[in-house]
Amino acid sequence: MPFICFCHHLGKSPVGTAGNRTPITTNISGRLWAKVIFAGYKQGLRNQRNHMALFKIEDVYADETEFKRRAYVYKVKNNTVIPGGKPNKTRVIWGKVTCAHGSNGMVRAKFRSNLPTKAIGHRIRVMLYP
């Protein structure tokens, strides 16, 4: 269902509307996570630091780190017992953003255990809540 927002224009009244409000319809998604690509590890000229992961947030082109928690979700062969839930094959490695990396939407993050190298180039979930 589209969400209707009324935006105020400074001193300009659009043709065909009453006052200075213009209705704008946008679709609100129920998704509480953002799409992120795992780019690799932090590295120097000779050394690679596997405890610090680099991520590119899609559609973000600034040096702001407003997202807090990250989740690497993957599937395994055997079922995992979850407290208070049904056993399933999904597992999660949780992490958090530490700082920005440059000014083009890249951020650094640390995880509880280091991310596997097979995850480079794959999608990570960034939660939109702390």
Side-chain angles (χ1 to χ4, degrees):
M1 181 174 181
F3 172 75
I4 297 177
C5 173
F6 288 95
C7 297
H8 295 281
H9 297 283
L10 299 174
K12 295 183 180 179
S13 177
V15 179
T17 60
N20 60 351
R21 293 183 172 195
T22 305
I24 298 174
T25 59
T26 58
N27 290 329
I28 293 179
S29 174
R31 189 178 72 197
L32 292 177
W33 53 275
K35 297 176 183 178
V36 173
I37 301 297
F38 176 34
Y41 300 110
K42 180 183 171 188
Q43 54 189 350
L45 185 63
R46 294 173 184 85
N47 298 325
Q48 176 175 296
R49 288 152 178 88
N50 295 338
H51 61 85
M52 191 71 68
L54 299 176
F55 295 97
K56 173 69 177 110
I57 304 172
E58 290 185 5
D59 300 329
V60 174
Y61 301 100
D63 58 351
E64 299 175 1
T65 57
E66 59 189 53
F67 305 112
K68 302 293 183 191
R69 298 198 69 189
R70 299 189 175 260
Y72 172 62
V73 180
Y74 62 102
K75 296 204 174 192
V76 294
K77 181 180 177 183
N78 298 328
N79 285 338
T80 305
V81 178
I82 297 174
K86 296 179 182 178
N88 58 15
K89 297 183 179 189
T90 305
R91 293 187 187 170
V92 178
I93 300 175
W94 287 98
K96 68 174 185 174
V97 175
T98 57
C99 62
H101 185 78
S103 61
N104 201 14
M106 295 284 285
V107 293
R108 298 180 204 165
K110 280 190 173 184
F111 284 81
R112 289 184 182 164
S113 62
N114 296 342
L115 290 182
T117 54
K118 69 176 185 176
I120 294 176
H122 293 323
R123 181 156 295 158
I124 308 289
R125 292 184 180 187
V126 178
M127 303 304 160
L128 298 177
Y129 52 88

